[in-house]
Amino acid sequence: MEWGLRGAAIPRQRALRLRLTSVIGFLALWSLASGAVVVFKLFNPIFLPGPWLVVGDIVELAGKGQLWTHLAATLYRVAIGFGAGALLALGLGLPAGHIRAVRNLLEPVVELLRPIPPLAMLPLFIVWVGIGEGSKIGFITYATFFPMFLTTVHAVGQVDPLLLRAAQSLGARPRQLFFRIILPAALPEILTGIRLGVALSFFVIVISEFIGAEHGLGYLINDGRNFFLVPQMLGAAVLLGLLGYVGNGLVRAIERRVTRWQHHDGAAA
Amino acid sequence: MKIRVQGVARSFRVEGREAPALLPIDLDVAAREVICLLGPSGCGKSTLLNIVAGFLQPTAGRVLVDDAPVTGPGADRGVVFQEYVLFPWLTVQGNVEFGLVLKGLAAGERRDIARRYLELVGLGPHAEKYPVQLSGGMKQRVAIARALANSPSIILMDEPFGALDAQTREVLQEELSRIQRVEHKTILFVTHSIREAVYLADRVVVLTKAPGRIKDVFAIKLPEVRDRFATEFTRYESEITRVVKEEVAQVHQ
Ligand SMILES: Nc1ncnc2c1ncn2[C@@H]1O[C@H](COP(=O)(O)OP(=O)(O)O)[C@@H](O)[C@H]1O
Ligand SMILES: [Mg+2]
């Protein structure tokens, strides 16, 4: 798909080189800035450590075996919390998009809760479920539910009625219409919602790990703040960025697989 | 009679008022007959076709197919739409097999049937492509193969070639005529084109301007394989053109 993007198509190799240049350029600027702080004594250099210090810190944490505990804690919470959010959003969103009565039943409540910034609900979650895993996982589920539910409802609702007519004239009964037409037709948009949900999971986990956690990347950041361990703070942030990047890439890979039919080059000629 | 349209009328609620779209229609269609519906746009051709397909309920009258009243869409009435309406996530082959999958046919059997109809419409080599990779004419061929593979006794077509360029359109008319000589379906075919109607139809039904009712019916007594330049052909064409023009002229008054 090329529309909307200016410039001629570039070969894969060159595109990759350009992207790599951008990353290296960013790291170079960062190094220069932190170097300048040291050389010109601008401010206490512990506030802006260079990338090598951040990497060194990550390596050190990994060496002590702590990194895996923190990574695993965050990933576990995201996986369970997001998984439950996705199941709930699909389990309610698919029928709500398809059946008017279900939609009328669910939509008012969702519309009422949705404008509340999820973060405003975090202290409530802690009051209700306690400060342990339950509130952290539950909070991710709560926060990711809304965008995934709404895109699912919309995706199902906007399926071309002509597709349904065509299938009915080929003998499709209601069940078959749902599984063989509505689901595949809505899938691309549903996956967009899921990608939003993944991004949001990493967004909200950090904040719930600031509060009363003993493990997790969010905990590392907060702990770093208490003890002025800036490399640790930046290291955890970088890891969160990488996790989000990988998560996004995974969903994209699934998207590409299930929407092969949208791209000319995906199919055998 | 294969299809009996008995006093079928339809109105729509527009701005709180019932506006008639189709005045009572009576039409009997024999098995294997090809009927072309002609009329100014907005006169209710699609409405009538959709009622026979079972997509729409008539506000009066009823449609019988094989003496049973139509209550909804069904596999006995295949539909070909102007907009092609292929399932974009399925290959050409998958599209043609769709109805057979619903019927629970074994994979091998489905494959054979689909291949046969793809050959019939000249798309054998394109079975593995996806709809996005096809031209309009090819898409409509797939839609026709998909309808035929499901072996309905009736095929309903709503301006199926309306979106195609003139050349492709004539080629597809010829293909449909050839297919009909083999498949012997009962066909209800909506069109804007008088030439197309005379080329394909056993009878041409001309509707009045909106709200439509039957203005005239022409039995086309031409050989199965038709020549668009034969004097008989052009005589039908001008005769029907005259009748259609009366209606179109009134629309523009
Ligand atoms: N769903 C609908 N709601 C309101 N009016 C409709 C609807 N469908 C069709 N109509 C009206 O009915 C008339 C006949 O439409 P249609 O059958 O599509 O005409 P044709 O196919 O002959 O061009 C038109 O005036 C159209 O606006
Ligand atoms: Mg129409």
Side-chain angles (χ1 to χ4, degrees), chain B residues 225-243:
Chain B
V225 183
R226 293 178 187 176
D227 172 6
R228 292 188 184 87
F229 300 100
T231 35
E232 281 295 289
F233 189 100
T234 48
R235 185 173 314 143
Y236 277 117
E237 227 184 311
S238 48
E239 197 179 336
I240 296 171
T241 304
R242 194 170 43 75
V243 174

Side-chain angles (χ1 to χ4, degrees), chain A residues 172-187:
Chain A
R173 290 184 301 274
R175 236 184 98 83
Q176 294 171 317
L177 277 184
F178 183 78
F179 286 104
R180 296 191 176 273
I181 303 295
I182 292 173
L183 218 48
L187 198 53

Side-chain angles (χ1 to χ4, degrees), chain A residues 106-193:
Chain A
L106 293 176
E107 225 168 35
V109 182
V110 172
E111 290 301 331
L112 227 63
L113 292 178
R114 191 171 68 105
I116 305 173
L119 294 185
M121 302 296 279
L122 179 58
L124 270 172
F125 267 82
I126 293 170
V127 169
W128 288 333
V129 204
I131 206 144
E133 291 300 306
S135 67
K136 292 183 181 54
I137 292 170
F139 183 58
I140 297 178
T141 303
Y142 174 83
T144 55
F145 169 79
F146 292 97
M148 293 196 283
F149 174 82
L150 289 170
T151 45
T152 303
V153 171
H154 182 260
V156 171
Q158 57 85 54
V159 172
D160 183 357
L162 280 180
L163 289 175
L164 300 175
R165 285 185 170 186
Q168 284 178 308
S169 298
L170 292 164
R173 290 184 301 274
R175 236 184 98 83
Q176 294 171 317
L177 277 184
F178 183 78
F179 286 104
R180 296 191 176 273
I181 303 295
I182 292 173
L183 218 48
L187 198 53
E189 197 187 335
I190 290 176
L191 283 170
T192 307

